[in-house]
């Protein structure tokens, strides 16, 4: 029996509605408007689209949104100066520097210059370290979105075999860490993994974060597995047009898996929704506010 499409877009919408209610509460009860600043350096077309989407979602949730654009030729010192100012700005609770940065700017230095309490991307080394040892930390938005989708769908994840393909600091590693925290038995696969199809086939939960169009085929998937496709790949189609595909061959996967996230409309919208969640969390922590559970 064919599996189901896991509708990340619809679920993200409900997360965003909840965030909007929380923002309303913070404004009416605490006179607090959460603020997110996004820094964009250069004119990378994909980054421009991401930044525009983040800006729209932030405003729609009722938050303050600030966009700072710098020329592609900006120096590292100029980028660091922007980050320093945002760190000191009390109306800004979350800071996101859109990656990739131009080659003359050291990404690690910039990320680690962000106040860890405002690091809504969860990439700062302090947050990474806290995540690794299981302390309360700002978690990266994409893995946070994926684990939320999985828990919503499967309930208790404990004891399940999870395979994460990809070991990047922004997706693969934090994803594995969140699955481990849910007591899954976790395998991290990467470009040197031997017999990847066999490794994938052991997974009750398969997370693909590779960046290779439709690399994961139907016969790599265990019947009844849940598949989360993080990949976003633009491929050429007939007539000089392009379209987005994931790292998983969706048609093949859905014929064998229990559920599969589509691309687009799966993990992507969850990432933006959890950026808003992290910004509200940062604002509440900065003002020592506990949000009521029932909002
Ligand atoms: P990276 O390029 O940083 O990491 C890719 C990982 O895939 C690496 O660990 C690499 O292994 C592994 N890999 C590459 N080729 C193979 C292969 N043939 N077999 C097995 N493993 C392989 O990518 P990111 O983690 O940043 O992103 C992954 C994908 O997710 C991209 O398509 C990106 O666009 C997308 N993405 C989507 C987001 C969303 O919101 N939906 C957010 C962030 C990313 P090794 O380490 O050995 O080189």
């Amino acid at each position: 029996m064919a599996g189901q499409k896991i509708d990340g877009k619809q679920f993200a919408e409900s997360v965003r509605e909840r965030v909007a209610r929380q923002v309303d509460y913070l404004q009416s009860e605490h006179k607090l408007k959460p603020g997110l600043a996004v820094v964009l350096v250069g004119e990378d077309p994909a980054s421009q689209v991401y930044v525009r989407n983040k800006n729209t979602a932030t405003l729609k949730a009722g938050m303050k949104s600030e966009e700072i654009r710098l020329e592609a030729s900006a120096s590292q010192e100029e980028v660091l100066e922007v980050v320093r100012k945002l760190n000191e700005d009390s109306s800004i609770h979350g800071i996101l520097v859109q990656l990739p940065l131009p080659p003359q700017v050291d990404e690690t230095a910039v990320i680690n210059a962000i106040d860890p309490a405002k690091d809504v991307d969860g990439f700062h080394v302090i947050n990474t370290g806290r995540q690794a040892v299981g302390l309360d930390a700002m978690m990266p938005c994409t893995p946070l979105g994926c684990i939320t989708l999985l828990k919503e769908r499967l309930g208790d994840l404990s004891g399940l075999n999870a395979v994460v393909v990809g070991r990047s600091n922004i997706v693969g590693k934090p994803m594995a860490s969140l699955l481990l925290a849910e007591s899954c038995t976790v395998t991290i696969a990467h470009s040197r993994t031997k017999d990847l199809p066999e490794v994938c086939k052991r997974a009750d939960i398969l997370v693909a974060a590779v960046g290779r169009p439709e690399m994961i085929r139907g016969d790599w998937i265990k019947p009844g597995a849940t598949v989360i496709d993080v990949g976003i790949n633009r491929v050429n189609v007939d007539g000089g047009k392009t379209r987005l595909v994931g790292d998983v061959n969706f048609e093949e996967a859905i014929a064998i898996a229990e559920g599969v996230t589509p691309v687009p409309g799966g993990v992507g919208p969850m990432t933006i929704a959890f950026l808003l969640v992290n910004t509200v969390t940062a604002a509440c922590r900065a003002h020592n506010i506990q949000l009521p559970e029932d909002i």
Side-chain angles (χ1 to χ4, degrees):
M1 203 177 74
Q4 288 174 336
K5 180 169 93 171
I6 304 175
D7 193 342
K9 195 171 168 196
Q10 193 183 47
F11 191 64
E13 190 52 46
S14 69
V15 174
R16 283 161 51 158
E17 282 165 8
R18 179 155 191 247
V19 168
R21 291 196 296 277
Q22 292 171 334
V23 171
D24 258 1
Y25 167 86
L26 289 171
Q27 277 185 293
S28 59
E29 299 297 316
H30 297 275
K31 307 276 171 282
L32 173 63
K33 191 179 180 99
L36 173 68
V38 179
V39 182
L40 176 62
V41 186
E43 270 143 35
D44 176 64
S47 294
Q48 288 190 351
V49 174
Y50 294 144
V51 168
R52 195 166 57 235
N53 291 345
K54 286 166 188 171
N55 181 33
T56 309
T58 311
L59 291 172
K60 208 172 157 200
M63 298 195 234
K64 171 177 167 158
S65 171
E66 196 168 320
E67 207 179 299
I68 296 111
R69 288 177 177 250
L70 296 173
E71 302 276 326
S73 59
S75 69
Q76 172 150 332
E77 194 39 49
E78 282 173 89
V79 182
L80 288 173
E81 184 53 26
V82 167
V83 170
R84 274 195 286 271
K85 281 198 178 127
L86 293 169
N87 281 343
E88 283 160 18
D89 184 340
S90 61
S91 72
I92 294 297
H93 306 95
I95 304 170
L96 180 153
V97 178
Q98 185 65 46
L99 302 179
L101 290 169
Q104 74 277 12
V105 184
D106 177 349
E107 278 184 7
T108 310
V110 170
I111 287 165
N112 289 326
I114 297 172
D115 177 347
K118 296 189 178 188
D119 169 39
V120 282
D121 249 344
F123 298 162
H124 192 291
V125 71
I126 295 223
N127 282 315
T128 311
R130 291 180 68 90
Q131 286 158 34
V133 294
L135 287 173
D136 209 13
M138 203 60 94
M139 286 303 298
C141 308
T142 301
L144 205 49
C146 296
I147 201 83
T148 307
L149 277 179
L150 283 166
K151 284 167 74 174
E152 171 75 12
R153 189 160 187 90
L154 301 176
D156 183 12
L157 307 184
S158 121
L160 295 179
N161 282 334
V163 174
V164 181
V165 192
R167 57 174 163 179
S168 71
N169 289 334
I170 65 170
V171 191
K173 284 183 199 155
M175 186 69 233
S177 151
L178 283 173
L179 288 160
L180 191 58
E182 294 299 325
S183 299
C184 292
T185 303
V186 183
T187 303
I188 307 179
H190 45 77
S191 66
R192 305 293 178 91
T193 297
K194 292 198 177 107
D195 207 354
L196 185 60
E198 276 312 306
V199 173
C200 291
K201 210 156 184 172
R202 294 202 292 264
D204 302 307
I205 294 171
L206 180 61
V207 181
V210 185
R212 292 189 182 263
E214 301 182 317
M215 181 183 87
I216 293 177
R217 309 299 303 258
D219 59 1
W220 297 24
I221 295 168
K222 178 177 174 176
T226 305
V227 180
I228 304 290
D229 190 354
V230 181
I232 302 177
N233 310 288
R234 191 165 283 284
V235 293
N236 294 322
V237 289
D238 292 344
K241 293 199 174 140
T242 63
R243 73 180 176 105
L244 292 182
V245 297
D247 290 339
V248 176
N249 183 311
F250 183 81
E251 296 308 327
E252 291 179 9
I254 200 123
I256 187 137
E258 164 280 323
V260 185
T261 57
V263 178
V267 173
M270 292 295 282
T271 298
I272 294 194
F274 276 87
L275 176 63
L276 306 181
V277 170
N278 278 354
T279 306
V280 168
T281 304
C284 289
R285 283 187 189 156
H287 293 265
N288 220 356
I289 297 171
Q290 186 89 35
L291 281 169
E293 287 284 330
D294 57 352
I295 298 186

